[in-house]
Amino acid sequence: MSQDFKGQHQSEPDEALLVFAQDATEQVQLLACWKVLIVDDEDEIHQITRLALRDFVFQQHRLQFISAYSAAQAKDVLADHPDIALILLDVVMETDDAGLTLVRYIRDTLQNSLVRIILRTGQAGQAPEQQVVQDYDINDYRAKTELTVQRLSTTVLSALRAYIAIAQLARLNDTLEQQVQARTAQLQATNQQLQHTLAELEAGERAGKQVQFKMLPQQDFSSAGFHFSHALYPSEFMSGDFVDYFPADEHKIVFYIADVSGHGVASAFVTVYLKRFIGANLERYRRGSSEKLIDPAALLTALNTDLLQEKIGKYIALFYAVLDTRTAEMTYANAGAFPWPLLLQGQNASYLPLKSTPVGMFDFANYLRDPHKISIHTISYQPV
C-alpha cells in the first residue's frame, strides 16, 4: 500500500481517505516587548548587549532594543518612545558627565520617574559610585567589566520587576486621582444643586411669610370703644405663631392667640388650617346655623376633634376669647397656652385669673383702669 503526501490510498480507491496532520512545534506566544534604550558611544557595547540578552524573556515579553550613541540622541529617542521601560546608560560620552546630565533631564525636565536607569561605566573613577547613587536618581550602578551575561540578565530582570510595580502603582494613583476628581466634581455639583434648592426654599419661605402675615388682622382695630393691636415676632421666616381678632357681630369681638408646636413651614401651614376653621365657624354663626364661634369651650372642643381626625401630627396651644362690648365682659377658654395672658396696667402686670372650669368670665370694666385697650403680643423663641 502506497501513500502520497496528502495521505490518499492509490491502489484501493474505495477505501476512506487518511489525512495526517503536520508535526507542530510548540512556540511560546509572545506579547508586546519591553523597550530597552542603550545609550553608549561605543558600537561594540550595543552589539554585546544585544547578543547577551537576545534570548531574554520576562512575562512572555522579549526585549526591543533601541540604540542612541550620545545623550543628545537619547533625548530624541525618549521623545519618540515615552514607554521605554529600561535605560542602559553610559556615563562618559560626548562629555565626561553626559550620562549624569541625561539622568537629570529625564527625572527633572521630562518628569519621568517610571523608567528604570542602570548606569554603566568603563571609567569608574570619573563617577564614583557612592556619590553618583546619592546625587542622582538612578536604580543601579555597574562597571562594564563586571556585567557578565548572567549578571546582566539578573540586573535587567530586577529592573523590569521594579518597573512593573511602579507602573501599577502609578496606574492606581491615576485611577484614584480620577475617582477623587470625579467625586469632587459630583460633590460640587450636588452642593450647587443644594445651594440652588436652598435658595428656592428660602424664596418660598419668604413668599410664605408674606402670605402668612397677610392672614393677620389689621394692625389697629377699634370697635365699640375697644382698641386692638398686635405684634408678632417669628423666629424664622414662617412660624406656628398666630393672632387674630375680628367682630363676630355688632356686640361681640372674637380674639385668640395660637402657638403651633414646632417651627417653620409645617407649623405655619397649621395656622392656615386654624384660620380656615375659625373662618368657617364665623360664616355659620353669621348665617345663624351655629353658636360655636361665641362659645370658647365648644369651639376648642370641635377644633381638637378635627385635628385628631386629620392626623396633622401637630398640636396647638390656644387661648380663645369672646368680648361682649355692651357689658365689657370676656368669656374665654385656654387650651394649653402657658403662661396665661398678661393684664398690664401701667407698671403693674398680672396673669389673667384662672378658673376651675374650662370657661372663664372676666369683667374688664371692674378690673382695669382703662378697659378699652387690648394689645396682643406674641414672640416665637428659637429653642437652644
Side-chain angles (χ1 to χ4, degrees), residues 32-36 58-59 61-64 85 160 163-164:
C33 298
W34 303 108
K35 289 185 179 181
V36 178
F58 176 58
Q59 293 190 354
H61 288 55
R62 287 192 181 278
L63 301 180
Q64 176 186 347
L160 291 178
Y163 174 82
I164 292 173

Side-chain angles (χ1 to χ4, degrees), residues 360-380:
M361 183 73 71
F362 188 75
D363 187 346
F364 277 96
N366 295 328
Y367 190 83
L368 299 178
R369 296 175 184 174
D370 187 358
H372 293 163
K373 290 185 179 179
I374 300 175
S375 181
I376 305 174
H377 292 260
T378 176
I379 301 176
S380 174

Side-chain angles (χ1 to χ4, degrees), residues 125 142-143 217 239 242 296 355:
R142 297 289 181 180
S239 74
F242 195 73
K355 301 294 181 179

Side-chain angles (χ1 to χ4, degrees), residues 281-352:
N281 278 274
L282 175 61
E283 292 181 4
R284 296 189 191 101
Y285 176 73
R286 289 177 175 173
R287 290 199 308 263
S289 61
S290 173
E291 295 287 323
K292 287 182 182 178
L293 182 75
I294 59 172
D295 185 343
L299 184 127
L300 295 186
T301 299
L303 175 61
N304 186 62
T305 300
D306 279 13
L307 289 174
L308 292 175
Q309 289 178 348
E310 295 292 341
K311 298 180 180 179
I312 293 178
K314 296 278 187 178
Y315 64 84
I316 306 175
L318 179 63
F319 177 84
Y320 185 91
V322 179
L323 174 65
D324 190 328
T325 59
R326 293 169 300 182
T327 62
E329 291 180 340
M330 181 178 71
T331 305
Y332 58 87
N334 186 21
F338 184 83
W340 282 64
L342 278 173
L343 295 175
L344 301 178
Q345 298 184 88
Q347 299 298 322
N348 299 320
S350 61
Y351 291 111
L352 194 68

Side-chain angles (χ1 to χ4, degrees), residues 209-269:
K209 179 181 179 180
Q210 294 178 355
V211 172
Q212 187 181 28
F213 270 64
K214 286 181 179 180
M215 292 168 48
L216 294 172
Q218 63 189 74
Q219 181 62 44
D220 295 299
F221 167 70
S222 298
S223 177
F226 288 88
H227 179 73
F228 289 79
S229 63
H230 70 274
L232 181 64
Y233 306 100
S235 62
E236 300 182 7
F237 289 115
M238 303 176 67
S239 74
D241 302 300
F242 195 73
V243 298
D244 199 6
Y245 39 78
F246 56 87
D249 57 30
E250 185 179 358
H251 303 294
K252 291 184 176 61
I253 300 174
V254 173
F255 68 93
Y256 59 90
I257 305 172
D259 183 8
V260 180
S261 60
H263 297 269
V265 177
S267 298
F269 284 159

Side-chain angles (χ1 to χ4, degrees), residues 81-150:
H81 300 273
D83 57 341
I84 290 175
L86 173 63
I87 300 176
L88 300 174
L89 177 61
D90 189 15
V91 177
V92 180
M93 291 180 286
E94 61 264 47
T95 61
D96 290 345
D97 62 346
L100 299 178
T101 302
L102 181 61
V103 172
R104 287 277 170 81
Y105 173 79
I106 293 171
R107 299 304 193 202
D108 298 339
T109 303
L110 297 183
Q111 294 291 305
N112 187 344
S113 59
L114 183 59
V115 64
R116 302 294 86 193
I117 301 176
I118 298 176
L119 210 61
R120 298 192 300 179
T121 180
Q123 304 176 39
Q126 292 290 109
E129 179 177 355
Q130 183 176 358
Q131 180 180 352
V132 170
V133 172
Q134 288 178 349
D135 296 342
Y136 295 87
D137 185 6
I138 62 174
N139 306 108
D140 205 349
Y141 183 99
R142 297 289 181 180
K144 294 179 180 179
T145 55
E146 67 174 324
L147 282 177
T148 62
V149 173
Q150 181 60 45

